[in-house]
Amino acid sequence: MTRSAGLAVALLLAAGCAAQPGTDSAASTDEATSSAAPEPEETPEEAPEATTAAGSESPAPEFPADTSVDTAEPVDPEGLTVTDVRAAPHEGFERVVFELAGSGTPGWRVEYVDAPSSQGSGDAVDVPGSAFLQVTLQGTSYPYETGAEEVARGPVSVSGTDTVQGVVYDATFEGTSVAWIGTSAQVPFRVSALSDPTRLVVEVADAG
Protein backbone atom coordinates (compact mmCIF):
# COMPACT_ATOMS: atom_id res chain seq x y z
CA MET A 1 0.00 0.00 0.00
CA THR A 2 2.80 2.40 0.86
CA ARG A 3 4.48 1.82 -2.47
CA SER A 4 1.16 2.24 -4.30
CA ALA A 5 0.45 5.53 -2.52
CA GLY A 6 3.91 6.88 -3.27
CA LEU A 7 3.55 5.94 -6.92
CA ALA A 8 0.20 7.69 -7.12
CA VAL A 9 1.66 10.92 -5.63
CA ALA A 10 4.56 10.80 -8.09
CA LEU A 11 2.16 10.39 -11.02
CA LEU A 12 0.05 13.35 -9.85
CA LEU A 13 3.12 15.61 -9.55
CA ALA A 14 4.32 14.63 -13.01
CA ALA A 15 0.92 15.39 -14.52
CA GLY A 16 0.87 18.84 -12.88
CA CYS A 17 4.28 19.78 -14.27
CA ALA A 18 3.27 18.70 -17.77
CA ALA A 19 0.15 20.89 -17.66
CA GLN A 20 2.15 24.12 -16.90
CA PRO A 21 3.06 26.17 -20.05
CA GLY A 22 6.69 26.87 -20.77
CA THR A 23 7.22 30.55 -19.94
CA ASP A 24 10.54 31.03 -21.85
CA SER A 25 9.27 29.51 -25.10
CA ALA A 26 6.16 31.74 -25.12
CA ALA A 27 8.22 34.86 -24.52
CA SER A 28 10.56 34.07 -27.38
CA THR A 29 7.56 33.46 -29.66
CA ASP A 30 6.11 36.86 -28.73
CA GLU A 31 9.46 38.53 -29.46
CA ALA A 32 9.75 36.82 -32.84
CA THR A 33 6.21 37.86 -33.78
CA SER A 34 6.90 41.44 -32.70
CA SER A 35 10.14 41.75 -34.64
CA ALA A 36 8.67 40.13 -37.74
CA ALA A 37 5.75 42.58 -37.93
CA PRO A 38 6.79 45.54 -40.19
CA GLU A 39 6.63 48.94 -38.58
CA PRO A 40 4.54 51.52 -40.42
CA GLU A 41 6.74 53.70 -42.64
CA GLU A 42 6.65 57.45 -42.19
CA THR A 43 5.16 59.34 -45.07
CA PRO A 44 7.90 61.54 -46.55
CA GLU A 45 7.23 65.25 -46.59
CA GLU A 46 6.25 66.66 -49.96
CA ALA A 47 8.99 68.55 -51.77
CA PRO A 48 8.34 72.28 -52.02
CA GLU A 49 6.86 73.34 -55.33
CA ALA A 50 9.27 74.67 -57.93
CA THR A 51 7.20 77.79 -58.20
CA THR A 52 8.18 78.70 -54.66
CA ALA A 53 11.86 78.92 -55.58
CA ALA A 54 11.09 80.56 -58.87
CA GLY A 55 8.81 83.05 -57.19
CA SER A 56 11.67 84.26 -55.01
CA GLU A 57 13.69 85.31 -58.04
CA SER A 58 13.35 88.75 -59.53
CA PRO A 59 11.38 88.70 -62.78
CA ALA A 60 13.29 89.35 -65.99
CA PRO A 61 12.83 92.82 -67.41
CA GLU A 62 10.03 92.97 -69.95
CA PHE A 63 12.01 95.09 -72.40
CA PRO A 64 15.81 95.08 -71.83
CA ALA A 65 16.80 98.34 -73.53
CA ASP A 66 17.74 101.95 -72.84
CA THR A 67 17.89 105.34 -74.54
CA SER A 68 21.63 105.47 -75.23
CA VAL A 69 23.16 105.56 -78.72
CA ASP A 70 23.26 102.15 -80.45
CA THR A 71 25.92 101.57 -83.13
CA ALA A 72 27.35 98.75 -85.25
CA GLU A 73 29.74 98.50 -88.21
CA PRO A 74 28.59 97.15 -91.60
CA VAL A 75 29.58 93.60 -92.50
CA ASP A 76 30.29 92.78 -96.18
CA PRO A 77 27.65 95.16 -97.58
CA GLU A 78 26.94 94.61 -101.26
CA GLY A 79 24.22 96.49 -103.13
CA LEU A 80 22.24 97.36 -100.01
CA THR A 81 19.24 99.59 -100.74
CA VAL A 82 16.27 100.30 -98.46
CA THR A 83 13.24 98.95 -100.32
CA ASP A 84 10.56 98.90 -97.61
CA VAL A 85 9.81 100.47 -94.23
CA ARG A 86 6.98 99.24 -92.02
CA ALA A 87 5.82 99.43 -88.41
CA ALA A 88 3.69 97.17 -86.22
CA PRO A 89 2.65 96.88 -82.55
CA HIS A 90 3.76 93.98 -80.33
CA GLU A 91 3.29 93.02 -76.69
CA GLY A 92 5.12 95.70 -74.69
CA PHE A 93 6.85 97.36 -77.65
CA GLU A 94 6.48 98.55 -81.23
CA ARG A 95 8.71 97.55 -84.12
CA VAL A 96 9.95 99.46 -87.17
CA VAL A 97 11.55 97.34 -89.90
CA PHE A 98 13.83 98.61 -92.66
CA GLU A 99 14.07 95.97 -95.38
CA LEU A 100 17.00 96.08 -97.82
CA ALA A 101 17.87 94.55 -101.16
CA GLY A 102 21.44 93.28 -101.57
CA SER A 103 23.63 91.18 -99.30
CA GLY A 104 25.65 91.61 -96.16
CA THR A 105 24.63 93.54 -93.06
CA PRO A 106 24.30 97.31 -92.87
CA GLY A 107 25.99 99.24 -90.12
CA TRP A 108 23.87 101.61 -88.05
CA ARG A 109 23.76 104.49 -85.66
CA VAL A 110 20.47 104.99 -83.86
CA GLU A 111 20.01 107.85 -81.42
CA TYR A 112 17.59 110.49 -80.23
CA VAL A 113 18.09 113.92 -81.79
CA ASP A 114 16.62 117.29 -80.86
CA ALA A 115 15.58 118.36 -84.34
CA PRO A 116 15.56 116.18 -87.48
CA SER A 117 17.41 117.72 -90.44
CA SER A 118 18.15 116.37 -93.91
CA GLN A 119 21.65 114.90 -94.23
CA GLY A 120 22.10 116.37 -97.69
CA SER A 121 20.82 119.94 -97.30
CA GLY A 122 20.55 120.42 -93.57
CA ASP A 123 16.94 121.51 -93.96
CA ALA A 124 14.57 120.83 -91.09
CA VAL A 125 12.42 117.74 -91.52
CA ASP A 126 8.91 117.58 -90.09
CA VAL A 127 8.47 114.34 -88.14
CA PRO A 128 5.32 113.55 -86.11
CA GLY A 129 5.85 112.97 -82.39
CA SER A 130 7.43 114.48 -79.29
CA ALA A 131 10.79 112.67 -79.53
CA PHE A 132 12.82 111.84 -82.63
CA LEU A 133 14.86 108.68 -83.08
CA GLN A 134 17.29 109.08 -85.97
CA VAL A 135 18.20 105.87 -87.79
CA THR A 136 21.36 106.05 -89.94
CA LEU A 137 22.06 102.95 -92.01
CA GLN A 138 25.66 102.64 -93.21
CA GLY A 139 27.05 100.74 -96.18
CA THR A 140 24.05 101.42 -98.43
CA SER A 141 24.20 102.26 -102.14
CA TYR A 142 22.30 104.50 -104.53
CA PRO A 143 19.39 102.74 -106.22
CA TYR A 144 20.75 103.51 -109.68
CA GLU A 145 23.84 101.50 -108.71
CA THR A 146 21.96 98.50 -107.37
CA GLY A 147 18.91 98.45 -109.61
CA ALA A 148 16.62 98.14 -106.58
CA GLU A 149 13.64 100.44 -106.05
CA GLU A 150 14.32 102.60 -103.01
CA VAL A 151 11.64 103.77 -100.59
CA ALA A 152 10.30 107.18 -101.61
CA ARG A 153 11.70 110.11 -99.72
CA GLY A 154 9.24 111.55 -97.19
CA PRO A 155 6.66 110.24 -94.68
CA VAL A 156 6.12 106.48 -94.55
CA SER A 157 2.58 105.24 -94.07
CA VAL A 158 2.22 103.55 -90.66
CA SER A 159 -0.91 102.63 -88.71
CA GLY A 160 -1.90 100.68 -85.62
CA THR A 161 0.93 102.00 -83.45
CA ASP A 162 0.68 104.34 -80.45
CA THR A 163 4.24 105.07 -79.32
CA VAL A 164 5.44 105.29 -82.93
CA GLN A 165 3.73 108.44 -84.17
CA GLY A 166 5.28 108.42 -87.62
CA VAL A 167 8.29 107.48 -89.76
CA VAL A 168 10.03 109.71 -92.31
CA TYR A 169 12.65 108.44 -94.79
CA ASP A 170 15.38 110.76 -96.10
CA ALA A 171 16.87 108.65 -98.90
CA THR A 172 20.54 107.74 -99.49
CA PHE A 173 23.52 110.07 -99.53
CA GLU A 174 27.18 109.06 -99.83
CA GLY A 175 26.83 105.54 -98.49
CA THR A 176 24.31 106.27 -95.74
CA SER A 177 20.53 106.17 -95.61
CA VAL A 178 18.68 108.14 -92.93
CA ALA A 179 15.21 107.90 -91.45
CA TRP A 180 13.47 109.20 -88.32
CA ILE A 181 11.05 107.46 -86.03
CA GLY A 182 8.82 109.94 -84.26
CA THR A 183 7.70 108.69 -80.83
CA SER A 184 5.27 109.97 -78.21
CA ALA A 185 8.11 110.12 -75.63
CA GLN A 186 11.82 109.37 -75.36
CA VAL A 187 11.41 105.66 -74.61
CA PRO A 188 14.02 102.88 -74.45
CA PHE A 189 14.87 101.20 -77.74
CA ARG A 190 16.96 98.34 -79.11
CA VAL A 191 18.37 97.54 -82.56
CA SER A 192 19.12 94.28 -84.35
CA ALA A 193 19.85 92.98 -87.85
CA LEU A 194 18.12 90.07 -89.56
CA SER A 195 18.85 88.17 -92.77
CA ASP A 196 16.93 86.47 -95.62
CA PRO A 197 15.94 89.16 -96.46
CA THR A 198 18.30 91.72 -94.95
CA ARG A 199 16.50 93.85 -92.37
CA LEU A 200 17.37 96.40 -89.74
CA VAL A 201 14.91 96.23 -86.84
CA VAL A 202 14.33 99.05 -84.35
CA GLU A 203 12.06 98.26 -81.41
CA VAL A 204 10.79 100.94 -79.04
CA ALA A 205 9.19 100.27 -75.66
CA ASP A 206 5.58 101.21 -75.10
CA ALA A 207 5.32 104.70 -73.66
CA GLY A 208 2.90 103.44 -71.04
Side-chain angles (χ1 to χ4, degrees):
M1 289 293 293
T2 302
R3 290 182 61 187
S4 297
L7 182 60
V9 171
L11 289 173
L12 287 173
L13 289 174
C17 291
Q20 269 191 324
T23 305
D24 292 342
S25 62
S28 62
T29 303
D30 289 342
E31 287 177 3
T33 304
S34 176
S35 62
E39 295 182 0
E41 296 182 0
E42 294 184 2
T43 303
E45 295 182 3
E46 293 184 1
E49 295 182 1
T51 52
T52 303
S56 63
E57 297 178 359
S58 301
E62 294 183 1
F63 190 85
D66 54 39
T67 58
S68 61
V69 179
D70 195 313
T71 64
E73 293 296 322
V75 178
D76 301 326
E78 184 66 35
L80 293 175
T81 300
V82 180
T83 58
D84 186 35
V85 180
R86 54 188 179 271
H90 292 266
E91 185 69 29
F93 65 93
E94 293 177 356
R95 175 180 294 162
V96 179
V97 177
F98 298 85
E99 187 170 322
L100 299 94
S103 61
T105 304
W108 66 79
R109 181 180 179 88
V110 182
E111 61 187 324
Y112 281 104
V113 296
D114 295 330
S117 59
S118 177
Q119 63 172 337
S121 63
D123 294 339
V125 178
D126 185 21
V127 179
S130 301
F132 312 107
L133 198 57
Q134 180 169 305
V135 181
T136 303
L137 296 89
Q138 302 161 343
T140 57
S141 303
Y142 292 114
Y144 64 80
E145 295 176 336
T146 65
E149 185 176 352
E150 187 177 23
V151 173
R153 185 175 184 177
V156 175
S157 177
V158 297
S159 62
T161 55
D162 294 321
T163 302
V164 174
Q165 306 271 292
V167 179
V168 177
Y169 185 68
D170 193 39
T172 299
F173 181 74
E174 295 183 351
T176 61
S177 302
V178 173
W180 296 274
I181 301 171
T183 58
S184 58
Q186 195 170 112
V187 296
F189 67 91
R190 60 191 178 193
V191 187
S192 59
L194 301 175
S195 58
D196 298 325
T198 301
R199 286 155 291 165
L200 182 70
V201 178
V202 180
E203 295 172 337
V204 297
D206 287 345

